[in-house]
Amino acid sequence: MGKNAFITGITGQDGAYLAQFLLNKGYKVYGGYRRTSSPNFWRLEELGVFKDVELLEVDILDTGNLIRTFDRYKPEEVYNLAAQSFVAVSFEKPVLTGEITAIGVTRMLEAVRIVNPGIKFYQASSSEMFGKVQEVPQTEKTPFYPRSPYAAAKLYGHWITVNYRESFNIFGCSGILFNHESPLRGIEFVTRKISDAVARIHYGKQEFFEIGSMDAKRDWGFAKEFVEAQWMMLQQPAPEDYVVATGEAHSVREFIEHSFEYIGKKIVWKGKGPEEIGSDSKTGKPLVKVNPKFFRPAEVELLLGDFTKARTRLGWEPRVKFKELVEIMIKRDLDRLK
Ligand code: NAP
């Protein structure tokens, strides 16, 4: 008999990949989704696992709901992927972000503590917690400096996981994951916004797109591989925290240039700051414009992870690097729009 796993945030990018991964390992997978008037199971459908996951209406804002779920379905492993995960929105909805992304973790841990303290718990922490980075590259020991309500909420989630581990002996692991993308990434996130817009431009459905800070650098990996590290953490003899990253940083500008390269266009940049425009080198048509509307009130300039601990202790290593990731995303968006 396979183990039982419960995943919050099953409708999200990582939820879908993790469900697929655990099903392939023989797990019985329960997926929690919050009630909406129109469910969004497209990612599970796209991966062909929609019918294999047992979907449960579970909201991490409701502790009783979590307790009853754990009591009834008896998960041995719980993956808390649910979050208000979009940094820009967190500046507009900081309280809601705190309720879901921060206190939601305590609700989960309380349910674990009450129902079965033996449940292994994974918390989806984020490189955004490093924010205004205190050293480069960032490791598990780098001091944190969050720069958004989202990052501050994630930092709370991280420390409460550490605290329940130390106070109540809960097997809680915090995975400090650097940006990870895929064709299943939400359309509002910068990478997917670019791959979707470039595909539209290719098919003549759109002329240009607008973007915020182009020189922000991120350590971008492939979500399908990053969820494997989440599972690996829970298979170790003792619970610990791990940085998961690729060890390479690339700018948003590079992401744009490489996406256009894939459809045979070269970008020429002119102007500075909010005036900057990227145009087609052949036709001179503007394809990318900066819009300060997309600037963050407090920007995170550079995130670069050192995943030595994950490599040596978990045996985890990224296989897909930046250029291949861009290509996977743009190719899928071209197919979708065909
Ligand atoms: P995502 O696609 O935005 O998924 C977030 C999930 O949380 C969605 O399924 C969402 O449901 C769910 N959710 C939101 N509020 C909820 C609530 N009150 N109750 C139950 N579920 C709720 O994010 P992702 O990219 O898969 O990331 C997974 C986790 O890793 C998140 O916690 C994210 O913050 C964290 N993380 C991500 C990255 C990255 O680069 N992707 C990096 C570091 C950490 P709806 O579909 O209903 O909105």
Side-chain angles (χ1 to χ4, degrees), residues 151-186:
K154 279 289 178 192
L155 194 50
Y156 175 91
H158 169 77
W159 281 120
I160 201 71
T161 302
V162 173
N163 183 258
Y164 270 56
R165 180 166 80 209
E166 294 174 354
S167 306
F168 307 117
N169 216 12
I170 302 284
F171 194 111
C173 297
S174 168
I176 307 173
L177 270 57
F178 281 63
N179 286 59
H180 45 283
E181 318 294 316
S182 75
L184 301 187
R185 191 59 146 149

Side-chain angles (χ1 to χ4, degrees), residues 88-281:
V89 163
S90 79
F91 286 102
E92 294 304 318
K93 296 178 180 162
V95 176
L96 180 68
T97 301
E99 282 293 346
I100 299 172
T101 308
I103 306 296
V105 188
T106 311
R107 292 189 193 94
M108 294 286 295
L109 286 162
E110 276 295 281
V112 167
R113 183 181 163 201
I114 292 166
V115 176
N116 171 14
I119 290 173
K120 293 186 173 181
F121 179 78
Y122 172 81
Q123 168 57 17
S125 293
S126 165
S127 57
E128 287 285 332
M129 301 189 307
F130 295 120
K132 191 171 176 184
V133 295
Q134 303 296 294
E135 63 179 0
V136 181
Q138 295 90 51
T139 73
E140 294 78 6
K141 294 203 167 75
T142 303
F144 299 113
Y145 194 135
R147 293 268 282 171
S148 62
Y150 166 78
K154 279 289 178 192
L155 194 50
Y156 175 91
H158 169 77
W159 281 120
I160 201 71
T161 302
V162 173
N163 183 258
Y164 270 56
R165 180 166 80 209
E166 294 174 354
S167 306
F168 307 117
N169 216 12
I170 302 284
F171 194 111
C173 297
S174 168
I176 307 173
L177 270 57
F178 281 63
N179 286 59
H180 45 283
E181 318 294 316
S182 75
L184 301 187
R185 191 59 146 149
I187 198 87
E188 72 275 32
F189 290 88
V190 68
T191 52
R192 185 68 211 297
K193 178 177 165 173
I194 296 168
S195 64
D196 175 67
V198 170
R200 283 176 192 281
I201 289 169
H202 180 70
Y203 288 122
K205 292 176 190 283
Q206 189 173 324
E207 289 188 353
F208 64 90
F209 65 93
E210 293 182 329
I211 199 97
S213 171
M214 272 191 299
D215 293 313
K217 285 190 167 176
R218 293 289 182 272
D219 181 328
W220 274 304
F222 185 28
K224 191 176 179 190
E225 296 179 349
F226 276 44
V227 299
E228 295 174 14
Q230 301 174 350
W231 172 80
M232 285 171 167
M233 287 176 213
L234 297 197
Q235 312 314 310
Q236 301 309 302
E240 289 191 38
D241 309 322
Y242 296 87
V243 160
V244 179
T246 70
E248 281 183 23
H250 296 273
S251 64
V252 173
R253 187 187 299 278
E254 283 173 80
F255 201 104
I256 294 172
E257 287 172 350
H258 195 60
S259 300
F260 276 114
E261 221 173 86
Y262 190 83
I263 60 161
K265 289 192 191 300
K266 189 172 156 32
I267 299 289
V268 177
W269 301 101
K270 279 208 185 99
K272 281 253 171 305
E275 312 300 324
E276 189 165 7
I277 289 181
S279 306
D280 187 327
S281 66

Side-chain angles (χ1 to χ4, degrees), residues 40-93:
N40 55 341
F41 298 129
W42 66 272
R43 294 181 173 95
L44 294 170
E45 278 159 2
E46 186 157 327
L47 295 186
V49 296
F50 175 66
K51 289 203 176 71
D52 304 322
V53 175
E54 188 158 336
L55 292 162
L56 311 171
E57 214 177 270
V58 178
D59 202 306
I60 67 162
L61 294 178
D62 193 316
T63 315
N65 190 195
L66 293 167
I67 291 173
R68 281 189 299 280
T69 303
F70 293 177
D71 204 29
R72 197 172 299 155
Y73 298 98
K74 310 209 176 333
E76 285 137 301
E77 294 176 11
V78 167
Y79 296 85
N80 184 34
L81 308 185
Q84 189 305 93
S85 66
F86 194 45
V87 173
V89 163
S90 79
F91 286 102
E92 294 304 318
K93 296 178 180 162

